[in-house]
Amino acid sequence: MYSARRLAVLACPVLLFATAACTPGTSHQESKAPSTPAPSSSQGKNGDSLPLAQAVGQLKVSAESRTGYERDKFHLWIDADHDGCDTRKEVLLAEAVKKPREGKNCRLTGGSWRSYYDDKTVTDARKLDIDHVVPLAEAWDSGASKWSTKRREQYANDLGAERSLVAVSLGPNRTKGDKDPAEWMPPAKDATCTYAPDWVAAKLRWKLTADRAEVKALRTVAAGCKGVAVTFTPAP
């Protein structure tokens, strides 16, 4: 049985962007690992598409507050479609460049993945984190503190957008923590023009705000990512 994420991967065409600042590679849907990451972002049926700089301009600027944040206020890794694979495993299956074997209770063995944050191939799923491109704490700061418990669960397990969640190496993800683009960007040279639109797409999808330093950093990135677009579908 296909999950919502798997169906989205099958149904949504890959949107290719010509960029001067970063070289597009293959997408998560393809079976061959890319040499450089594809500068794409969250996509969906009838999604809005904007140039990166214009999309950054759509972000509502607001001060952030972490008051009351606790990570367990976001219920992680549910099995929404009851197929035996929780959110983490759904992402691993969707993003594998070499599919792992799927055993009883969705036990995954083998497989390989391309971590675009550091441009490395990973062959052990235990050495991958499933990163919320916009971290849970950042989401809380930017509007999720006002959401219902159910809404936060939906955000934490967002399989309806291709790139709200990404499988990446442990090292750069742990270094990233809850930092925003004013504080952290992926170390791989060609990751910037993928990460920035992914970030903006997630924020627009969930109607999250951005602080001034974050917007300033994103505008600087956008100036160097000519031709890159942000495609997103508002979360239901």
Side-chain angles (χ1 to χ4, degrees):
M1 178 178 179
Y2 285 115
S3 69
R5 182 183 179 93
R6 291 175 183 173
L7 286 172
V9 169
L10 290 172
C12 297
V14 181
L15 186 60
L16 298 178
F17 306 114
T19 74
C22 51
T23 304
T26 52
S27 74
H28 289 163
Q29 291 98 316
E30 295 174 338
S31 59
K32 184 178 180 180
S35 58
T36 56
S40 61
S41 44
S42 298
Q43 300 181 46
K45 186 176 180 181
N46 300 321
D48 296 325
S49 183
L50 299 168
L52 178 55
Q54 186 177 341
V56 172
Q58 296 293 311
L59 293 170
K60 180 181 178 181
V61 179
S62 179
E64 297 180 351
S65 174
R66 188 137 320 169
T67 302
Y69 170 71
E70 294 175 9
R71 185 175 175 83
D72 61 10
K73 289 183 177 180
F74 294 81
H75 184 196
L76 284 169
W77 306 164
I78 63 171
D79 180 8
D81 62 0
H82 309 292
D83 69 348
C85 298
D86 64 17
T87 303
R88 172 182 166 83
K89 291 178 180 177
E90 295 282 14
V91 177
L92 290 172
L93 286 166
E95 295 194 359
V97 293
K98 179 183 177 182
K99 292 294 184 183
R101 294 180 295 279
E102 185 177 336
K104 186 177 180 181
N105 298 320
C106 202
R107 183 174 181 271
L108 304 182
T109 55
S112 66
W113 294 263
R114 194 68 179 173
S115 168
Y116 90 79
Y117 285 5
D118 51 357
D119 194 24
K120 291 184 178 178
T121 296
V122 179
T123 57
D124 183 349
R126 294 172 298 180
K127 295 181 179 180
L128 291 165
D129 277 339
I130 304 304
D131 184 36
H132 295 85
V133 171
V134 175
L136 300 180
E138 170 70 20
W140 178 272
D141 299 350
S142 307
S145 61
K146 299 176 183 177
W147 293 350
S148 67
T149 299
K150 183 63 176 179
R151 187 70 168 171
R152 288 195 288 270
E153 178 183 284
Q154 291 170 337
Y155 178 83
N157 298 273
D158 186 11
L159 297 176
E162 186 184 345
R163 302 181 67 100
S164 290
L165 302 173
V166 292
V168 294
S169 301
L170 301 179
N173 189 51
R174 305 295 169 84
T175 301
K176 171 187 173 180
D178 58 12
K179 299 179 179 70
D180 70 23
E183 305 163 305
W184 184 90
M185 290 295 288
K189 179 181 178 182
D190 293 322
T192 299
C193 294
T194 299
Y195 185 74
D198 284 357
W199 179 280
V200 175
K203 285 232 160 174
L204 292 175
R205 172 171 168 77
W206 289 93
K207 297 182 179 178
L208 295 170
T209 62
D211 64 30
R212 294 186 183 279
E214 177 186 343
V215 169
K216 182 179 179 181
L218 288 167
R219 285 175 175 160
T220 299
V221 171
C225 294
K226 303 298 184 183
V228 174
V230 173
T231 305
F232 70 97
T233 299

PDB file of all heavy atoms in Angstrom, residues 34 113-123 128 169 172 188:
ATOM      1  N   PRO A  34      22.534  11.584  -7.134  1.00  0.00           N
ATOM      2  CA  PRO A  34      22.991  12.777  -7.814  1.00  0.00           C
ATOM      3  C   PRO A  34      24.395  13.158  -7.382  1.00  0.00           C
ATOM      4  O   PRO A  34      24.779  12.948  -6.240  1.00  0.00           O
ATOM      5  CB  PRO A  34      21.977  13.847  -7.363  1.00  0.00           C
ATOM      6  CG  PRO A  34      21.509  13.372  -6.025  1.00  0.00           C
ATOM      7  CD  PRO A  34      21.536  11.871  -6.104  1.00  0.00           C
ATOM      8  N   TRP A 113      21.597   6.025   0.389  1.00  0.00           N
ATOM      9  CA  TRP A 113      20.972   7.345   0.339  1.00  0.00           C
ATOM     10  C   TRP A 113      22.034   8.396   0.051  1.00  0.00           C
ATOM     11  O   TRP A 113      23.201   8.208   0.367  1.00  0.00           O
ATOM     12  CB  TRP A 113      20.297   7.660   1.683  1.00  0.00           C
ATOM     13  CG  TRP A 113      19.134   6.781   2.001  1.00  0.00           C
ATOM     14  CD1 TRP A 113      17.812   7.031   1.804  1.00  0.00           C
ATOM     15  CD2 TRP A 113      19.191   5.467   2.579  1.00  0.00           C
ATOM     16  NE1 TRP A 113      17.048   5.974   2.216  1.00  0.00           N
ATOM     17  CE2 TRP A 113      17.864   4.992   2.690  1.00  0.00           C
ATOM     18  CE3 TRP A 113      20.241   4.640   3.005  1.00  0.00           C
ATOM     19  CZ2 TRP A 113      17.563   3.744   3.214  1.00  0.00           C
ATOM     20  CZ3 TRP A 113      19.945   3.389   3.518  1.00  0.00           C
ATOM     21  CH2 TRP A 113      18.610   2.946   3.631  1.00  0.00           C
ATOM     22  N   ARG A 114      21.598   9.497  -0.549  1.00  0.00           N
ATOM     23  CA  ARG A 114      22.494  10.623  -0.779  1.00  0.00           C
ATOM     24  C   ARG A 114      22.097  11.758   0.144  1.00  0.00           C
ATOM     25  O   ARG A 114      20.982  12.291   0.044  1.00  0.00           O
ATOM     26  CB  ARG A 114      22.423  11.091  -2.241  1.00  0.00           C
ATOM     27  CG  ARG A 114      23.566  12.040  -2.631  1.00  0.00           C
ATOM     28  CD  ARG A 114      24.887  11.308  -2.638  1.00  0.00           C
ATOM     29  NE  ARG A 114      26.006  12.150  -3.019  1.00  0.00           N
ATOM     30  CZ  ARG A 114      27.268  11.768  -2.964  1.00  0.00           C
ATOM     31  NH1 ARG A 114      27.567  10.551  -2.550  1.00  0.00           N
ATOM     32  NH2 ARG A 114      28.248  12.572  -3.330  1.00  0.00           N
ATOM     33  N   SER A 115      22.964  12.104   1.074  1.00  0.00           N
ATOM     34  CA  SER A 115      22.722  13.208   1.997  1.00  0.00           C
ATOM     35  C   SER A 115      23.171  14.501   1.331  1.00  0.00           C
ATOM     36  O   SER A 115      24.363  14.747   1.179  1.00  0.00           O
ATOM     37  CB  SER A 115      23.508  12.978   3.296  1.00  0.00           C
ATOM     38  OG  SER A 115      23.520  14.147   4.088  1.00  0.00           O
ATOM     39  N   TYR A 116      22.220  15.324   0.921  1.00  0.00           N
ATOM     40  CA  TYR A 116      22.617  16.507   0.160  1.00  0.00           C
ATOM     41  C   TYR A 116      23.240  17.593   1.027  1.00  0.00           C
ATOM     42  O   TYR A 116      23.944  18.472   0.518  1.00  0.00           O
ATOM     43  CB  TYR A 116      21.455  17.032  -0.681  1.00  0.00           C
ATOM     44  CG  TYR A 116      20.515  18.047  -0.078  1.00  0.00           C
ATOM     45  CD1 TYR A 116      20.856  19.398   0.005  1.00  0.00           C
ATOM     46  CD2 TYR A 116      19.241  17.683   0.346  1.00  0.00           C
ATOM     47  CE1 TYR A 116      19.972  20.339   0.504  1.00  0.00           C
ATOM     48  CE2 TYR A 116      18.345  18.613   0.845  1.00  0.00           C
ATOM     49  CZ  TYR A 116      18.715  19.938   0.928  1.00  0.00           C
ATOM     50  OH  TYR A 116      17.838  20.873   1.425  1.00  0.00           O
ATOM     51  N   TYR A 117      23.041  17.562   2.330  1.00  0.00           N
ATOM     52  CA  TYR A 117      23.648  18.572   3.197  1.00  0.00           C
ATOM     53  C   TYR A 117      25.172  18.540   3.107  1.00  0.00           C
ATOM     54  O   TYR A 117      25.825  19.580   3.138  1.00  0.00           O
ATOM     55  CB  TYR A 117      23.235  18.352   4.655  1.00  0.00           C
ATOM     56  CG  TYR A 117      21.832  18.766   5.011  1.00  0.00           C
ATOM     57  CD1 TYR A 117      20.925  19.222   4.059  1.00  0.00           C
ATOM     58  CD2 TYR A 117      21.396  18.706   6.332  1.00  0.00           C
ATOM     59  CE1 TYR A 117      19.636  19.591   4.406  1.00  0.00           C
ATOM     60  CE2 TYR A 117      20.108  19.079   6.696  1.00  0.00           C
ATOM     61  CZ  TYR A 117      19.221  19.514   5.723  1.00  0.00           C
ATOM     62  OH  TYR A 117      17.944  19.878   6.092  1.00  0.00           O
ATOM     63  N   ASP A 118      25.728  17.325   3.045  1.00  0.00           N
ATOM     64  CA  ASP A 118      27.188  17.192   2.995  1.00  0.00           C
ATOM     65  C   ASP A 118      27.662  16.445   1.753  1.00  0.00           C
ATOM     66  O   ASP A 118      28.843  16.115   1.634  1.00  0.00           O
ATOM     67  CB  ASP A 118      27.710  16.498   4.254  1.00  0.00           C
ATOM     68  CG  ASP A 118      26.994  15.183   4.563  1.00  0.00           C
ATOM     69  OD1 ASP A 118      26.049  14.829   3.822  1.00  0.00           O
ATOM     70  OD2 ASP A 118      27.370  14.519   5.545  1.00  0.00           O
ATOM     71  N   ASP A 119      26.747  16.171   0.824  1.00  0.00           N
ATOM     72  CA  ASP A 119      27.070  15.526  -0.445  1.00  0.00           C
ATOM     73  C   ASP A 119      27.781  14.190  -0.224  1.00  0.00           C
ATOM     74  O   ASP A 119      28.813  13.902  -0.831  1.00  0.00           O
ATOM     75  CB  ASP A 119      27.930  16.454  -1.313  1.00  0.00           C
ATOM     76  CG  ASP A 119      28.005  15.981  -2.772  1.00  0.00           C
ATOM     77  OD1 ASP A 119      27.079  15.267  -3.202  1.00  0.00           O
ATOM     78  OD2 ASP A 119      28.982  16.329  -3.454  1.00  0.00           O
ATOM     79  N   LYS A 120      27.195  13.365   0.645  1.00  0.00           N
ATOM     80  CA  LYS A 120      27.790  12.063   0.946  1.00  0.00           C
ATOM     81  C   LYS A 120      26.776  10.950   0.730  1.00  0.00           C
ATOM     82  O   LYS A 120      25.583  11.134   0.930  1.00  0.00           O
ATOM     83  CB  LYS A 120      28.297  12.019   2.393  1.00  0.00           C
ATOM     84  CG  LYS A 120      29.514  12.904   2.643  1.00  0.00           C
ATOM     85  CD  LYS A 120      30.021  12.742   4.061  1.00  0.00           C
ATOM     86  CE  LYS A 120      31.274  13.596   4.297  1.00  0.00           C
ATOM     87  NZ  LYS A 120      31.751  13.475   5.699  1.00  0.00           N
ATOM     88  N   THR A 121      27.278   9.795   0.325  1.00  0.00           N
ATOM     89  CA  THR A 121      26.445   8.609   0.196  1.00  0.00           C
ATOM     90  C   THR A 121      26.480   7.840   1.514  1.00  0.00           C
ATOM     91  O   THR A 121      27.558   7.615   2.081  1.00  0.00           O
ATOM     92  CB  THR A 121      26.926   7.714  -0.950  1.00  0.00           C
ATOM     93  OG1 THR A 121      26.785   8.421  -2.186  1.00  0.00           O
ATOM     94  CG2 THR A 121      26.106   6.435  -1.024  1.00  0.00           C
ATOM     95  N   VAL A 122      25.320   7.442   1.994  1.00  0.00           N
ATOM     96  CA  VAL A 122      25.201   6.718   3.261  1.00  0.00           C
ATOM     97  C   VAL A 122      24.558   5.366   2.969  1.00  0.00           C
ATOM     98  O   VAL A 122      23.530   5.296   2.294  1.00  0.00           O
ATOM     99  CB  VAL A 122      24.347   7.507   4.272  1.00  0.00           C
ATOM    100  CG1 VAL A 122      24.213   6.742   5.582  1.00  0.00           C
ATOM    101  CG2 VAL A 122      24.947   8.885   4.520  1.00  0.00           C
ATOM    102  N   THR A 123      25.155   4.298   3.468  1.00  0.00           N
ATOM    103  CA  THR A 123      24.638   2.960   3.198  1.00  0.00           C
ATOM    104  C   THR A 123      24.086   2.272   4.450  1.00  0.00           C
ATOM    105  O   THR A 123      23.707   1.110   4.397  1.00  0.00           O
ATOM    106  CB  THR A 123      25.732   2.071   2.576  1.00  0.00           C
ATOM    107  OG1 THR A 123      26.861   2.039   3.456  1.00  0.00           O
ATOM    108  CG2 THR A 123      26.153   2.606   1.215  1.00  0.00           C
ATOM    109  N   LEU A 128      21.566   7.942   9.450  1.00  0.00           N
ATOM    110  CA  LEU A 128      20.780   9.020   8.865  1.00  0.00           C
ATOM    111  C   LEU A 128      19.784   9.566   9.878  1.00  0.00           C
ATOM    112  O   LEU A 128      19.181   8.805  10.642  1.00  0.00           O
ATOM    113  CB  LEU A 128      19.998   8.520   7.649  1.00  0.00           C
ATOM    114  CG  LEU A 128      20.793   8.151   6.404  1.00  0.00           C
ATOM    115  CD1 LEU A 128      19.921   7.338   5.456  1.00  0.00           C
ATOM    116  CD2 LEU A 128      21.319   9.398   5.694  1.00  0.00           C
ATOM    117  N   SER A 169      22.814  13.008   6.672  1.00  0.00           N
ATOM    118  CA  SER A 169      23.838  12.489   7.582  1.00  0.00           C
ATOM    119  C   SER A 169      23.657  13.042   8.991  1.00  0.00           C
ATOM    120  O   SER A 169      23.211  14.177   9.178  1.00  0.00           O
ATOM    121  CB  SER A 169      25.231  12.865   7.085  1.00  0.00           C
ATOM    122  OG  SER A 169      25.472  12.368   5.791  1.00  0.00           O
ATOM    123  N   PRO A 172      25.996  16.796   9.996  1.00  0.00           N
ATOM    124  CA  PRO A 172      25.490  18.135   9.708  1.00  0.00           C
ATOM    125  C   PRO A 172      24.130  18.414  10.333  1.00  0.00           C
ATOM    126  O   PRO A 172      23.847  19.547  10.731  1.00  0.00           O
ATOM    127  CB  PRO A 172      25.413  18.169   8.180  1.00  0.00           C
ATOM    128  CG  PRO A 172      25.444  16.747   7.743  1.00  0.00           C
ATOM    129  CD  PRO A 172      26.236  16.022   8.775  1.00  0.00           C
ATOM    130  N   ALA A 188      27.862  21.415   2.224  1.00  0.00           N
ATOM    131  CA  ALA A 188      28.176  21.088   0.831  1.00  0.00           C
ATOM    132  C   ALA A 188      28.050  22.329  -0.047  1.00  0.00           C
ATOM    133  O   ALA A 188      27.078  23.089   0.051  1.00  0.00           O
ATOM    134  CB  ALA A 188      27.248  19.987   0.312  1.00  0.00           C
TER     135      ALA A 188
END
